[in-house]
Amino acid sequence: MSEQTARGDGRGARELRQLRVEMGYLEWAEGSVLLEMGKTRVLVSASYEPRVPRFLQGSGSGWVTAEYAMLPRATSVRTPREVQAGRPSGRTQEIQRLVGRSLRAVTALERMGEGTITIDCDVLQADGGTRTASITAGYLALAQAVHRLQADGSVPADVLVDSVAAVSAGLVGEDLLLDLCYEEDARAEVDFNVVMTGRGDLVEVQAEGVRRLTEFQHEVLDGGG
């Protein structure tokens, strides 16, 4: 697919979906953002507590963690709330760990003091890329929270050392596509989730699908083609 060839929503192969961000969406959270990537919508909040998990107590270090959930009608058919099953699914646990790792990668935890910032990611509507949208929105909510916490002296000014964002890419038929919607993701032979800092450092790359994986990695990550 050439850069000019349109996809189902009119985008070129390397075009992101339309992005819309509303900061401070929630009244009481230290940080919050409503982020829309095309039809995918995530509401993310950042909450601060002046305590840390037991394994960090007495260390002087802080902690950033994340939780992730999808509303029952975020998709075309209703999905029961995971609380009914008594525990998060494996997919949910994997996504919230990814969000947490991504945000900790740009946070100087040792400078925070013993406090925890929890990032709550709630998917209001899902059309592909919910984990990457959660990471990007999670950083925005975290940055807003840190700014407010700096103002009241709860954390120092140098806690955030970089920015971070994420995007998906995939091989759909013969086409290399950026920022997959659900219909493209469902047909992809190989799909990647790429997390990168503002300085251009890779934080994490997740890949699914083994067919033509080497070729795809060369094309998308190494700059070939």
Side-chain angles (χ1 to χ4, degrees):
M1 178 182 285
S2 69
E3 290 292 330
Q4 289 73 37
T5 302
R7 294 149 76 175
D9 55 9
R11 289 183 290 150
R14 307 298 170 90
E15 277 188 78
L16 295 172
R17 288 175 286 181
Q18 185 175 6
L19 176 66
R20 179 178 177 271
V21 172
E22 183 173 347
M23 299 296 297
Y25 191 80
L26 298 176
E27 181 74 23
W28 311 118
E30 284 80 5
S32 64
V33 58
L34 176 66
L35 183 144
E36 301 180 12
M37 287 286 292
K39 294 180 181 179
T40 291
R41 298 174 185 169
V42 295
L43 175 60
V44 178
S45 63
S47 304
Y48 176 77
E49 298 176 281
R51 59 188 179 89
V52 291
R54 181 173 299 178
F55 70 91
L56 284 174
Q57 291 176 1
S59 69
S61 179
W63 189 241
V64 175
T65 188
E67 294 187 11
Y68 169 97
M70 291 180 63
L71 293 186
R73 280 313 303 264
T75 53
S76 59
V77 296
R78 185 182 187 276
T79 302
R81 297 180 191 273
E82 292 184 348
V83 67
Q84 301 298 324
R87 59 175 296 176
S89 68
R91 175 182 180 274
T92 293
Q93 293 183 63
E94 185 271 323
I95 291 175
Q96 56 194 28
R97 288 168 182 164
L98 172 64
V99 176
R101 289 195 303 270
S102 300
L103 298 179
R104 289 193 294 272
V106 296
T107 307
L109 300 175
E110 70 281 0
R111 302 173 190 166
M112 276 182 63
E114 294 195 10
T116 297
I117 299 178
T118 301
I119 306 298
D120 288 297
C121 307
D122 290 292
V123 178
L124 309 183
Q125 185 166 281
D127 186 36
T130 63
R131 74 185 66 196
T132 55
S134 294
I135 291 168
T136 302
Y139 170 75
L140 293 174
L142 175 63
Q144 185 181 52
V146 166
H147 179 74
R148 291 184 176 179
L149 293 166
Q150 289 169 355
D152 67 19
S154 297
V155 300
D158 55 356
V159 167
L160 288 180
V161 297
D162 205 343
S163 58
V164 69
V167 71
S168 64
L171 181 65
V172 183
E174 297 298 318
D175 299 324
L176 300 175
L177 305 180
L178 184 68
D179 190 17
L180 306 180
C181 68
Y182 175 76
E183 186 272 335
E184 293 166 340
D185 183 72
R187 294 189 293 114
E189 292 185 56
V190 180
D191 67 272
F192 274 58
N193 295 300
V194 181
V195 186
M196 186 173 284
T197 70
R199 295 192 182 98
D201 296 325
L202 281 172
V203 174
E204 190 156 342
V205 177
Q206 294 184 329
E208 294 184 10
V210 293
R211 186 180 176 191
R212 300 176 63 185
L213 180 57
T214 302
E215 174 188 346
F216 180 69
Q217 182 175 2
H218 172 70
E219 294 280 352
V220 175
L221 299 181
D222 299 336

